Amino acid sequence: MAIKIRAAVFLALAVGVTLGLGIYTFVYAKGYSYLTNNPAACANCHVMQEYYSGWMKSPHHAVAGCNDCHTPHDMVGKYAIKAANGFSHSLAFTIGPIPDNIVIKGYNERVTEGACRSCHAALVDAIEGPHSRQDISCLSCHADVGHSAASLVPGSTVSVTSSASK
């Protein structure tokens, strides 16, 4: 009998913690907003406000939102990267300091590089023509295009890792 009571208590605690985290994430932390394409959702976190403001002033504001550049263009990939990034961002906000100047890296850099190349294919082809044997990254020269220089922290520069050229 004691085993059944312990199992019921454990199950109740597990369900309670799961429901509590779900309610916290989707109600208090506005997690539901990340399921949309609304760029304002990205500014829910204060560290993203400068990037959002920079995007509002950029030429891309009229033609591309956050998801157009920062998520894959298929539904499964889009929500998979949103979930992975959401988890890692939540974890970082919970356990450690977040840098003021966020640096894109890894898979996110490759997704953004692919978006540049997709939308600007004719231009990329013209540039890569004479440089076909070299790895050229759009982001290495144009890292601030979507967010404008206004989104940079004073005294810092936008930088990206070199993983896109590997």
Side-chain angles (χ1 to χ4, degrees):
M1 188 65 137
I3 292 175
K4 287 184 179 182
I5 291 173
R6 285 184 185 147
V9 168
F10 177 77
L11 181 61
L13 283 172
V15 169
V17 167
T18 302
L19 283 173
L21 286 173
I23 290 169
Y24 173 81
T25 299
F26 284 94
V27 178
Y28 178 76
K30 301 178 187 173
Y32 60 86
S33 67
Y34 296 103
L35 299 174
T36 71
N37 283 323
N38 184 351
C42 296
N44 283 346
C45 301
H46 72 278
V47 296
M48 292 304 295
Q49 186 58 53
E50 289 296 319
Y51 295 92
Y52 177 74
S53 296
W55 169 78
M56 291 288 287
K57 298 171 192 167
S58 80
H60 281 90
H61 174 253
V63 294
C66 304
N67 288 327
D68 295 319
C69 299
H70 294 289
T71 64
H73 294 167
D74 64 284
M75 187 164 33
V76 172
K78 174 182 174 177
Y79 288 105
I81 196 73
K82 283 178 143 218
N85 286 340
F87 177 78
S88 66
H89 295 165
S90 296
L91 184 63
F93 285 125
T94 302
I95 65 170
I98 303 298
D100 289 331
N101 192 14
I102 298 170
V103 178
I104 191 171
K105 57 189 176 282
Y107 183 72
N108 291 303
E109 184 180 357
R110 291 188 295 279
V111 167
T112 301
E113 179 75 25
C116 295
R117 291 173 176 274
S118 175
C119 291
H120 301 287
L123 180 61
V124 171
D125 289 344
I127 291 170
E128 283 191 329
H131 305 287
S132 61
R133 290 188 172 23
Q134 299 175 22
D135 285 334
I136 298 174
S137 168
C138 303
L139 297 175
S140 65
C141 296
H142 305 284
D144 65 343
V145 166
H147 299 283
S148 82
S151 65
L152 299 178
V153 174
S156 68
T157 60
V158 171
S159 62
V160 293
T161 62
S162 60
S163 65
S165 59
K166 290 181 181 177

